[in-house]
Amino acid sequence: MLALFFIFITKKILKVKVLTTTSQMIEQLELIKQLYPSISLQKYESYLLEMIPHNYKQIAVFEHDICVGLTGFWEGTKLWSGKYIEIDNFIVHSEHRKKGVGKLMTDYIEKLAIENVCTMIVLDAFTGNFKAHRFYYNQGFSTKGFHFVKIINESGLS
């Protein structure tokens, strides 16, 4: 597996690392809060403790020791697609957008998908998040269907 790699962007060294433990992921809570401002440490940790045993990992991009990009991902298998990787909670630090960090993460995920003989990479983006739509289209993603949601307990959402 691609455990770690480096890339040079505009004279800055960015390091990509796969996070597999709860403690590694908890260290990135401040970046997670850019996506979910009200999530608490306790809630984040409890979710990770449920998710990690189900093949959840994160990819983190570091500039020096600062995490500037983060995405979760899952490997799974479905009858219609076979093996796939699903991107989950894709975040680029607000001060590091439009610098290639997001592309670095999607490229890394694509290499993982190829390495793991996946047929596709999937993700969800909220319908009103037009900046994300444009980004994903530019990375070669397309819409294949709809992800329908029926919210049962809105107060439980992050």
Side-chain angles (χ1 to χ4, degrees), residues 86-151:
E86 180 175 356
I87 294 173
D88 195 20
N89 303 308
F90 196 94
I91 311 163
V92 175
H93 190 286
S94 60
E95 296 174 11
H96 294 271
R97 294 185 182 142
K98 299 197 183 270
K99 295 181 181 179
V101 174
K103 180 169 177 28
L104 178 60
M105 291 192 299
T106 57
D107 288 351
Y108 193 90
I109 289 279
E110 185 171 337
K111 287 178 183 171
L112 281 176
I114 291 167
E115 182 180 283
N116 290 294
V117 195
C118 295
T119 61
M120 66 180 66
I121 303 165
V122 301
L123 59 89
D124 290 329
F126 289 120
T127 55
N129 192 345
F130 302 113
K131 288 181 182 179
H133 301 170
R134 183 174 44 248
F135 172 77
Y136 292 123
Y137 284 131
N138 287 337
Q139 302 310 308
F141 289 83
S142 62
T143 53
K144 179 74 173 168
F146 293 100
H147 188 108
F148 288 93
V149 176
K150 182 177 183 178
I151 297 173

Side-chain angles (χ1 to χ4, degrees), residues 7-72:
I7 189 164
F8 297 88
I9 297 178
T10 62
K11 298 182 182 178
K12 294 185 180 185
I13 298 175
L14 298 178
K15 179 173 59 172
V16 179
K17 185 176 178 186
V18 176
L19 309 180
T20 59
T21 67
T22 306
S23 60
Q24 290 173 318
M25 294 177 195
I26 286 174
E27 289 177 15
Q28 313 321 318
L29 178 61
E30 289 310 307
L31 189 53
I32 290 290
K33 284 185 171 235
Q34 287 195 5
L35 190 59
Y36 303 111
S38 65
I39 196 165
S40 68
L41 171 61
Q42 294 77 19
K43 187 173 193 177
Y44 185 46
E45 182 175 23
S46 72
Y47 285 173
L48 291 174
L49 290 171
E50 288 184 43
M51 295 161 64
I52 291 170
H54 296 283
N55 208 20
Y56 179 78
K57 297 178 182 86
Q58 292 178 343
I59 292 172
V61 177
F62 293 91
E63 182 179 83
H64 305 289
D65 292 329
I66 307 296
C67 186
V68 298
L70 183 73
T71 186

Side-chain angles (χ1 to χ4, degrees), residues 54-55 74-78 81-86 118 120:
H54 296 283
N55 208 20
W74 313 74
E75 281 184 54
T77 304
K78 293 186 179 189
S81 66
K83 197 170 179 184
Y84 67 94
I85 288 181
E86 180 175 356
C118 295
M120 66 180 66

